[in-house]
Amino acid sequence: MNWRPQTILFWITIVAAITPIKAQNNNRAANGATAADWPEYGGTGLAWRYSSLDQINTSNIKRLTPAWSFETGDYQDGMASTPVVIDGIVYISTASSWVIALNGATGDPIWRYKYEPPVGLPAPRSNHGLAVGDGKVFINTRDNYLVAIDAKTGKEAWRVANGDMLNCRCGMGGVPQVVKHKVIVGASGSIGTITAYDTENGRFAWRFHVIPKPGEKGNDTWDGDSWKYGEGTVWTTGSYDPELNLIYWGTGEPKPTFYSANRKGNNLYTSSVLALDPDTGKLRWYYQEIPHDTWDFDTDYEFTLIDREVRGRTRKLLVNPNKGGYTWVLDRETGEFLGTYKFAENTNWIQGIDEKGTLIGRNDPEIGKPNFICPSNIGAKEWNQSAYSPRTGLLYTPVNEMCNDLVLRGPSGKTPQDRGGGTWIMKPPTGHDTGYSHLDALDAVTGKRLWTYSYKYELMASVLATQGDLVFTGDVEGRYFALDAHTGKKLWSYQTGAAHRGGGVTYMMNGKQFIVTPVGRGSLISDLSMVLWPEASNWRVASAVMAFALPEDEK
Amino acid sequence: MSCWQRSTNLKHLAIVVLAFPVTVFSQASNGEEVFGKNCTFCHGPGGAGGSAPALAQRGLEASYIDQVINYGLPNTAMPGWGQRLTTPDLYAVRAFVKRLNGISAPSGGNVARALPAEAEPGRNLFFDLDREFKSCSTCHSINGKGVAVAPEIKTVPSDVVGLRNLAASRVRTAQVDRETFPAVVATQLQGETRLYDLTGVPPVLRTFPSSVAKLSAGGWQHSSAIQAYSDQELERILNFLRAAVP
């Protein structure tokens, strides 16, 4: 090993990242920064999407140049995933649950794994990313399989049906999480689940049911037997605090969506943050952001784990931007509510949230009338993740300003399963001809907006922040671009050729920092954006990965 | 790796999916709801039309509806949904669009014969979601539903004792390195052995180089796998199997 400055930085960061686990006191701030690798979906288990690399920075970003690109060949549903990078190998997953390992310096494929569904099951057509750990790569499939692939050879090591898709009507749309030799997955179904399997052999370890059964605490928050079909789909992924030994996962809305007359009550544990013990799956605490959710706002997306002062005391925080356009700030040791702030400009589903966390002035949709609700049920923010920089203390949050009409339908009475529902029609916010979006730099705890970057369409790609004081993301017209983390000024932009839906990341290889981003529209929501923007039909479909670096003489 | 090429022909896969008997789905999807979630953006509520053409009362033919929903329309914004939706949702939304065009659910053909009423409780037990991985369908598939770890059920034991003590000669004992576990061989191809590890539920399909996977006779008992069911429940499951197995 040669001790270049970057290598030393790498080790310093690694030590800093590991030290809190063994810390004697609880005052040491958790470090969620990545270094040479990008080991997890959210960067680290703390989900900052922040890198300590600064070879590429505000002074040289203008010279950032394409280094390589790779076409996956899996075009139909684009590229919505986030790469994981370990030891210079870039692991990517595609919509059909193919996994490809690329040489991080050249983009040359090392191996490719193509998931084959069992006979009779449809091929998966969406994938948000993968996890790497214990020498294996893990992917979820839409047909409800969890697959482990040997990270060296690309050969399948094991796969397990996390319930029979055709029976449980369940599937896994999220990203697996590897914690302490377990791989943890979330799934949909008549009752949502979080399940852990042994990374080595795929054997079942534990399962948490999102909805308590009769006799269990919380079942009385459901009307009659409505709990049986309450769902609470688990469809994103979790964060992990190694010091507290807790994983944090979110749950989706109660069913039926919108029509709620037959599920009176708070409907636990839907639309909630769950803090689980990763060894046992036992619930340590929960916090329900949206009791009795009638808008499909869930509690999902990133749980950004930071240590910051709140009202004069340093607290271990969990920061969660919700679909409804508010960010919740909780104490992640206890689940105590510490505050919320609004990040969307157009909200009318509630009038506000009081100091105890109670939703004030609820605007629940009603059957038999058009219910104009802002934001829309795809969310003031989609599942693409924000990024947190410890240098600025800012959470860089992509925000979509769209509304919808909710039209409710009561149960048909034909089957016990048909308990009503509804539909939604996208609408522009009041006073606007169509939707719009912005990327905001918000104080992560107070929500104070330092700057905003405006965009005329929607922002559907995850954000990356770096120690080079840069904030990266991509837009639906194909640009991948960098903003100054302090001012929001656009410093660099590159037309990659297709819309962005995935998550760009950064890594260091052979002394060179790379920025790598998925390229290609990858979600039906983009297809359906044509309701607001007819020109969305021009947003290009692709499935590629593109890497950037400084020219040889610049690094 | 040469596995880049698609070995499964998508069309064949689609035919297999289409051939599924509709009645295997005890929890039928609601086509209107699936339509509402996925289609109204463009086609409007109830298919009344929006940025995309109206679908209601257009006189569309059933085969055209199936084709377009499954595969989409090239060079238009209409995507193929055959591999985006779960199979129950796909059936439901196709049926819904057909109903919008005055076509009611087909009888005969691909639709499986209805089970006699006395077989229903057994079917519910066989696929029991409350038992999760402890239900029969964790290892057995009937009419395409359930995970086909075990071979297709072709004969039905005459009584509960026979069901509990079913010969399980296909379950071997696998020894890999220092690990020993009950296993069902799925495939042995090109130097690779794929085994279902039956140590617990759900079974795990594991892949090993054939050279390291040693197989010997097993002592695994079917009775141990179905102990979550009472005799009375197994009687009902037998009733279902008698009706469902040709």
Side-chain angles (χ1 to χ4, degrees):
Chain A
M1 174 166 302
N2 57 359
W3 290 93
R4 294 178 206 236
Q6 291 87 356
T7 319
I8 294 165
L9 174 67
F10 167 80
W11 283 110
I12 289 170
T13 312
I14 288 292
V15 169
I18 291 170
T19 306
I21 305 170
K22 293 176 180 171
Q24 294 303 305
N25 64 61
N26 287 337
N27 294 328
R28 186 186 295 273
N31 186 352
T34 66
D37 292 344
W38 188 273
E40 294 185 51
Y41 179 71
T44 70
L46 307 188
W48 290 5
R49 290 193 54 79
Y50 172 81
S51 169
S52 61
L53 300 178
D54 61 1
Q55 185 182 79
I56 300 165
N57 54 51
T58 50
S59 68
N60 59 19
I61 179 73
K62 283 198 173 6
R63 293 188 285 276
L64 194 66
T65 312
W68 53 260
S69 69
F70 179 82
E71 301 274 349
T72 69
D74 185 15
Y75 301 111
Q76 189 178 323
D77 283 77
M79 188 69 190
S81 69
T82 293
V84 163
V85 187
I86 293 173
D87 294 335
I89 297 174
V90 178
Y91 300 92
I92 56 170
S93 56
T94 73
S96 302
S97 296
W98 302 354
V99 178
I100 304 165
L102 302 170
N103 179 320
T106 63
D108 290 320
I110 298 166
W111 54 255
R112 315 181 220 203
Y113 168 87
K114 201 187 108 220
Y115 173 69
E116 293 285 359
V119 172
L121 291 184
R125 280 298 182 199
S126 171
N127 188 284
H128 291 182
L130 46 77
V132 183
D134 295 341
K136 295 186 179 67
V137 181
F138 301 95
I139 48 162
N140 289 341
T141 73
R142 277 287 163 118
D143 55 343
N144 214 33
Y145 275 81
L146 167 64
V147 184
I149 301 155
D150 185 300
K152 278 209 178 73
T153 64
K155 287 182 185 295
E156 184 175 306
W158 54 259
R159 71 164 78 176
V160 64
N162 188 39
D164 172 37
M165 176 187 130
L166 297 180
N167 189 24
C168 59
R169 297 181 59 213
C170 48
M172 296 191 281
V175 178
Q177 177 188 38
V178 174
V179 172
K180 296 166 81 178
H181 312 298
K182 290 187 177 68
V183 52
I184 300 159
V185 294
S188 60
S190 52
I191 291 179
T193 55
I194 301 169
T195 312
Y197 295 92
D198 187 310
T199 54
E200 176 60 29
N201 51 34
R203 289 178 190 155
F204 176 88
W206 54 256
R207 170 167 280 187
F208 179 85
H209 295 91
V210 168
I211 299 178
K213 294 188 172 157
E216 293 175 352
K217 195 179 160 216
N219 181 267
D220 58 357
T221 62
W222 293 85
D223 194 10
D225 67 351
S226 58
W227 63 273
K228 280 188 184 173
Y229 312 100
E231 294 204 13
T233 292
V234 184
W235 64 277
T236 51
T237 192
S239 293
Y240 171 51
D241 182 331
E243 192 181 340
L244 296 175
N245 194 37
L246 285 177
I247 54 172
Y248 305 93
W249 283 70
T251 62
E253 90 282 12
K255 289 282 167 46
T257 310
F258 312 134
Y259 180 79
S260 65
N262 58 10
R263 57 168 174 85
K264 293 188 181 72
N266 281 351
N267 308 141
L268 292 175
Y269 296 101
T270 62
S271 298
S272 299
V273 189
L274 305 172
L276 303 176
D277 181 325
D279 301 316
T280 62
K282 292 269 187 313
L283 182 67
R284 196 81 69 83
W285 58 257
Y286 75 93
Y287 185 86
Q288 189 174 41
E289 291 182 355
I290 307 183
H292 191 73
D293 181 357
T294 59
W295 308 274
D296 190 12
F297 284 157
D298 305 351
T299 291
D300 275 299
Y301 304 163
E302 59 274 28
F303 299 111
T304 308
L305 310 184
I306 59 175
D307 297 356
R308 286 271 296 272
E309 195 177 291
V310 177
R311 295 189 279 277
R313 193 178 130 206
T314 300
R315 307 282 291 247
K316 294 177 179 300
L317 305 178
L318 177 151
V319 179
N320 173 233
N322 179 286
K323 283 169 81 176
Y326 288 78
T327 295
W328 265 257
V329 181
L330 307 177
D331 181 315
R332 72 174 181 275
E333 274 187 285
T334 61
E336 181 189 346
F337 173 83
L338 297 177
T340 56
Y341 56 84
K342 188 158 97 88
F343 63 84
E345 290 166 5
N346 299 281
T347 62
N348 70 355
W349 62 284
I350 47 173
Q351 268 155 32
I353 300 172
D354 73 11
E355 70 281 0
K356 287 181 179 156
T358 308
L359 308 182
I360 304 295
R362 289 176 66 120
N363 180 11
D364 290 284
E366 291 170 28
I367 195 161
K369 64 171 225 179
N371 299 276
F372 178 70
I373 299 288
C374 304
S376 82
N377 84 334
I378 73 161
K381 177 182 166 297
E382 253 277 331
W383 52 260
N384 46 309
Q385 293 195 302
S386 53
Y388 171 76
S389 167
R391 282 169 63 82
T392 60
L394 300 173
L395 191 67
Y396 301 95
T397 308
V399 189
N400 294 319
E401 302 285 353
M402 308 176 214
C403 305
N404 56 192
D405 280 342
L406 300 181
V407 183
L408 275 57
R409 180 184 62 77
S412 67
K414 285 179 193 156
T415 65
Q417 288 80 23
D418 178 7
R419 305 172 81 82
T423 188
W424 40 301
I425 302 150
M426 297 298 282
K427 295 281 175 188
T430 306
H432 293 266
D433 295 334
T434 188
Y436 63 98
S437 66
H438 41 104
L439 172 61
D440 290 346
L442 305 170
D443 182 284
V445 175
T446 66
K448 186 184 171 198
R449 188 153 97 173
L450 269 291
W451 53 255
T452 187
Y453 168 86
S454 297
Y455 185 51
K456 63 178 174 175
Y457 299 128
E458 56 196 357
L459 284 168
M460 304 296 265
S462 288
V463 183
L464 165 69
T466 72
Q467 189 163 302
D469 283 339
L470 295 167
V471 173
F472 293 87
T473 195
D475 67 28
V476 293
E477 294 167 281
R479 296 178 205 99
Y480 197 66
F481 58 93
L483 307 177
D484 184 312
H486 294 282
T487 65
K489 189 184 169 204
K490 193 183 255 190
L491 300 177
W492 172 86
S493 176
Y494 187 88
Q495 176 51 262
T496 59
H500 286 255
R501 186 67 174 110
V505 308
T506 185
Y507 59 96
M508 179 79 96
M509 191 178 175
N510 304 329
K512 192 176 202 174
Q513 183 186 355
F514 291 85
I515 307 283
V516 63
T517 180
V519 178
R521 188 170 73 187
S523 164
L524 285 175
I525 286 168
S526 298
D527 293 351
L528 300 167
S529 306
M530 279 180 269
V531 176
L532 288 175
W533 303 285
E535 62 271 39
S537 58
N538 298 327
W539 300 345
R540 285 153 290 175
V541 175
S543 176
V545 190
M546 193 154 194
F548 301 89
L550 294 171
E552 270 309 308
D553 56 347
E554 295 278 348
K555 62 179 167 79
Chain B
M1 290 270 295
S2 61
C3 60
W4 193 234
Q5 255 129 36
R6 298 202 78 128
S7 59
T8 307
N9 182 313
L10 278 181
K11 259 191 185 156
H12 291 165
L13 186 63
I15 287 164
V16 172
V17 172
L18 294 177
F20 268 166
V22 173
T23 52
V24 299
F25 307 115
S26 61
Q27 284 191 305
S29 291
N30 183 302
E32 188 182 354
E33 201 158 297
V34 178
F35 189 90
K37 272 241 158 186
N38 299 287
C39 314
T40 32
F41 275 92
C42 301
H43 291 288
S51 62
L55 299 175
Q57 297 172 342
R58 291 269 313 277
L60 301 174
E61 290 181 8
S63 59
Y64 178 80
I65 292 169
D66 286 342
Q67 167 77 24
V68 175
I69 292 178
N70 281 356
Y71 300 108
L73 276 176
N75 305 318
T76 73
M78 175 66 187
W81 293 84
Q83 285 149 26
R84 296 181 194 247
L85 295 175
T86 63
T87 305
D89 283 358
L90 183 65
Y91 277 122
V93 78
R94 287 191 330 213
F96 177 70
V97 177
K98 285 175 202 171
R99 283 203 300 281
L100 292 180
N101 286 277
I103 305 164
S104 52
S107 55
N110 286 334
V111 180
R113 63 204 157 106
L115 282 174
E118 64 266 26
E120 283 295 332
R123 177 169 76 174
N124 294 340
L125 287 165
F126 189 95
F127 294 108
D128 192 358
L129 285 172
D130 287 341
R131 285 167 216 254
E132 295 198 326
F133 297 127
K134 288 176 180 151
S135 74
C136 306
S137 60
T138 298
C139 299
H140 294 279
S141 172
I142 297 263
N143 292 332
K145 190 164 129 181
V147 182
V149 173
E152 188 187 353
I153 299 172
K154 287 186 174 153
T155 55
V156 181
S158 57
D159 57 21
V160 168
V161 175
L163 183 58
R164 286 203 190 274
N165 298 330
L166 205 65
S169 56
R170 280 176 184 260
V171 184
R172 316 284 301 277
T173 296
Q175 195 186 345
V176 183
D177 300 327
R178 274 166 296 178
E179 220 187 333
T180 303
F181 54 88
V184 172
V185 176
T187 57
Q188 285 181 300
L189 286 168
Q190 295 164 343
E192 272 185 359
T193 298
R194 300 181 90 203
L195 303 168
Y196 282 102
D197 177 348
L198 302 192
T199 301
V201 283
V204 186
L205 181 58
R206 301 172 66 183
T207 306
F208 300 101
S210 296
S211 55
V212 306
K214 311 286 181 221
L215 295 164
S216 56
W220 186 85
Q221 303 282 326
H222 191 239
S223 56
S224 68
I226 62 173
Q227 58 191 351
Y229 292 103
S230 69
D231 282 357
Q232 193 186 28
E233 288 168 334
L234 291 176
E235 287 284 5
R236 291 176 182 157
I237 288 169
L238 285 171
N239 280 339
F240 161 60
L241 292 176
R242 284 178 198 118
V245 174

